[in-house]
Amino acid sequence: MSAIRFCAAVSALGALGFLLFAQEPVGDPARGKAIYEGKGNCQSCHRINGAGGRLGPDLSDIGVPRGGGKGGGGGKQTPVPTLNVDALTNSIIDPDADVALGNRLVRVVTKDGKTVTGRLLNHDNFTVQFMDPDGKLRSYQKSDLKESTVLTKGLMPSYKDRLTPQEVADVVAYLATLKGPGK
């Protein structure tokens, strides 16, 4: 290979690397924690190691790699558990795309017209139980309600237009450090 072609190839690879780096901002956990606690106001709904709200999921161990499962027979290797950074990013940008059953919300309207919304804990033919935004457990007899609706969308807002791509990467980097209490 001639020196000119080699230099052109190295230059092209450098440009490609720059483009890839520009597309995927590298997050800073310290900045992410500041955004989580400040601008993002995440701790008003989410808990980390006992601190924060109870309406959203507890994020204390969100950074623990998941998956991998149990080993299969036939000499197959067990997949290594990984942290799904894309899923964390998507849950911040588009939280309603995949609301887990344990994070579904319920809205009830009492016979006197009061509307209360919270995270659904249980419901059956006769009652509905949920946690309200203040972290209080609520239980209602359905016969005492005008309406009881399980919502398909969550309370978490989309941060697509609230945070820059760099800020989202920072929050994800912070969440990736969360391995549970004392870790």
Side-chain angles (χ1 to χ4, degrees), residues 88-154:
L88 283 175
T89 303
N90 289 338
S91 68
I92 293 169
I93 294 172
D94 188 9
D96 289 334
D98 186 22
V99 179
L101 290 176
N103 298 325
R104 292 287 167 122
L105 299 175
V106 63
R107 180 181 58 235
V108 299
V109 180
T110 62
K111 288 188 175 178
D112 64 358
K114 182 180 177 185
T115 300
V116 185
T117 302
R119 185 166 49 109
L120 180 64
L121 299 175
N122 186 41
H123 71 103
D124 56 32
N125 290 336
F126 305 103
T127 63
V128 60
Q129 297 86 33
F130 60 93
M131 186 174 301
D132 73 11
D134 296 325
K136 294 179 183 173
L137 295 175
R138 302 277 186 142
S139 182
Y140 291 93
Q141 294 289 326
K142 287 187 176 179
S143 60
D144 294 334
L145 300 173
K146 278 186 189 177
E147 176 187 328
S148 172
T149 307
V150 176
L151 307 174
T152 57
K153 298 202 181 247

Side-chain angles (χ1 to χ4, degrees), residues 8-83:
V10 168
S11 177
L13 286 173
L16 178 61
F18 178 78
L19 285 174
L20 290 174
F21 180 77
Q23 292 173 353
E24 305 263 346
V26 176
D28 178 271
R31 286 192 313 242
K33 182 177 183 186
I35 294 165
Y36 176 93
E37 294 173 348
K39 181 179 181 179
N41 194 28
C42 307
Q43 66 185 17
S44 66
C45 293
H46 296 281
R47 291 179 78 72
I48 294 177
N49 299 330
R54 295 182 185 268
L55 191 57
D58 187 316
L59 301 177
S60 298
D61 66 352
I62 194 73
V64 173
R66 298 194 169 49
K70 297 180 181 178
K76 293 181 183 176
Q77 288 189 345
T78 303
V80 176
T82 58
L83 179 63

